[in-house]
Amino acid sequence: MTMDLSQVAAIENEKEKSIIGHLCWYSVGEDNYDRNELRKALLQNGFEESDLPNEIRATDAFRRATKDIETKKVEAKKEGVYKNYIVRNVCTNAQFIQRNIVEETVDSKGQKLSYKENEAILLFNRNNETISKAIVNAGGMAEELAEEACNLFELYKTCHNGQAVRYMANDILKTMSPTPVRPSGGVYFVP
């Protein structure tokens, strides 16, 4: 199906070269965006390196990695019973950050809640910016999650999340004096 777009207001008219502005919209998915690739894309499109999000700190990468491994409602053998694997901050000081993976068992039929503390211990050394892990119950779900946290930490040291990229895009857009076209945002008129 073809449409005549000459009467649509948002289409550029070749005869008139004067315009009052542009419509701008963007969408950023929940993904991991490599900082070096983001830098290249910004510089290739005429932006400054100062437009990049703040440098990624190793402590933030550790916190993000350990938060992302939390798992909810893992089915157990009994009906109405499931397990949550939650990460809890134990200690933060100048030398290290300790976060433990805790197994929480929820019995909805018996209306009980129980915990197995210290299934795995993740220790972030601030001096050399490395993670060490201690597995209390080997071979279980907590061990898999601890390994995943270590892998995510390596990824997150070099990648921004979608939220950081959205903040960056919004900060760049603010420099252009945008006017929201929709009350909820998302589409802007840039003079």
Side-chain angles (χ1 to χ4, degrees):
M1 178 171 121
T2 59
M3 264 176 82
D4 179 21
L5 298 177
S6 62
Q7 302 302 315
V8 178
I11 300 300
E12 186 176 334
N13 188 344
E14 293 294 328
K15 296 174 188 165
E16 284 185 41
K17 291 296 179 190
S18 61
I19 59 171
I20 60 170
H22 301 276
L23 285 178
C24 174
W25 63 91
Y26 65 93
S27 176
V28 178
E30 286 302 322
D31 203 354
N32 296 306
Y33 299 91
D34 184 84
R35 184 172 175 81
N36 292 327
E37 294 297 318
L38 197 56
R39 176 186 288 113
K40 283 181 200 171
L42 282 174
L43 295 175
Q44 286 174 351
N45 288 289
F47 294 101
E48 302 293 322
E49 192 161 334
S50 62
D51 291 322
L52 276 169
N54 292 334
E55 286 283 340
I56 300 167
R57 298 182 315 180
T59 55
D60 293 337
F62 174 71
R63 285 188 179 100
R64 194 171 139 212
T66 54
K67 184 69 178 162
D68 283 357
I69 62 165
E70 287 190 327
T71 306
K72 305 278 186 197
K73 293 199 174 191
V74 175
E75 292 293 324
K77 294 175 185 167
K78 268 171 68 176
E79 186 181 334
V81 177
Y82 58 89
K83 297 177 187 242
N84 297 324
Y85 291 89
I86 51 181
V87 178
R88 292 294 177 247
N89 204 50
V90 176
C91 181
T92 301
N93 61 33
Q95 288 81 35
F96 66 88
I97 301 171
Q98 179 183 341
R99 299 189 101 187
N100 292 6
I101 299 174
V102 177
E103 180 185 285
E104 175 185 67
T105 304
V106 179
D107 183 354
S108 60
K109 300 230 186 226
Q111 300 176 347
K112 291 188 228 170
L113 188 63
S114 61
Y115 294 92
K116 273 190 194 173
E117 296 181 23
N118 302 337
E119 284 292 292
I121 299 168
L122 297 165
L123 199 61
F124 174 73
N125 184 325
R126 288 180 184 260
N127 296 328
N128 59 12
E129 298 185 341
T130 59
I131 292 181
S132 57
K133 60 184 187 261
I135 308 301
V136 176
N137 290 327
M141 180 77 163
E143 183 176 10
E144 292 175 28
L145 294 174
E147 188 62 37
E148 184 180 346
C150 292
N151 294 336
L152 286 174
F153 171 70
E154 293 302 320
L155 174 69
Y156 291 169
K157 286 193 306 187
T158 60
C159 292
H160 292 286
N161 63 2
Q163 186 69 16
V165 176
R166 276 190 288 282
Y167 282 141
M168 177 197 71
N170 196 35
D171 287 345
I172 291 170
L173 189 60
K174 282 180 189 175
T175 66
M176 300 176 198
S177 304
T179 302
V181 175
R182 295 183 342 168
S184 63
V187 179
Y188 301 91
F189 173 75
V190 179

